[in-house]
Amino acid sequence: MADSVRLACLECGQANRVPADKMDAGPKCAKCGAALMAGDVAAVNLRSHDKAVQSDEIPLILDYWAPWCGPCRTMAPEFAKAAQNLRLKTRFAKIDTEQFPAISQRLQIRGIPLLIL
């Protein structure tokens, strides 16, 4: 049996097991059908953030940002390019710290944009 990789769906938070040799075949979430390795930057909520941070077995780069932040908006296109270029090696997501202030308090975020691997 092939080795598998555990990934949380960044849309619904469902845990998924994907065969390692099928990672480039466009795996989808078993619950909601969202692409697991799409190569884009997924906007996450608190639930999917926590699930992915706790259970993903491949690197996940998270951008903590806010819509009013000029540097956040300036960095976004390059972050999206990196997500596309590293599509099979890592996943990229962002969480709006203004919409989800609890994440800023919990992680003691003092400035944005902030990238955490």
Side-chain angles (χ1 to χ4, degrees):
M1 181 174 200
D3 289 332
S4 61
V5 177
R6 186 175 47 209
L7 297 172
C9 177
L10 296 176
E11 293 291 322
C12 71
Q14 173 69 36
N16 293 272
R17 283 235 172 245
V18 178
D21 59 347
K22 302 285 184 186
M23 292 293 285
D24 60 347
K28 296 185 187 253
C29 175
K31 182 177 179 183
C32 72
L36 296 173
M37 297 294 294
D40 58 355
V41 179
V44 296
N45 59 31
L46 279 176
R47 180 174 181 260
S48 57
H49 169 278
D50 292 347
K51 286 276 209 167
V53 167
Q54 293 170 2
S55 67
D56 271 16
E57 293 179 341
I58 66 167
L60 173 66
I61 298 177
L62 282 153
D63 175 18
Y64 298 86
W65 73 289
W68 51 263
C69 171
C72 297
R73 291 193 317 267
T74 301
M75 186 194 72
E78 294 304 317
F79 193 62
K81 284 181 195 175
Q84 190 61 44
N85 291 335
L86 298 170
R87 166 178 104 71
L88 298 176
K89 297 178 182 177
T90 190
R91 296 198 304 168
F92 287 71
K94 64 181 182 175
I95 187 163
D96 183 345
T97 57
E98 186 173 35
Q99 186 178 3
F100 302 104
I103 196 72
S104 295
Q105 294 167 352
R106 187 170 62 191
L107 298 177
Q108 298 180 353
I109 295 172
R110 302 273 188 257
I112 54 174
L114 174 65
L115 300 177
I116 297 179
L117 174 64

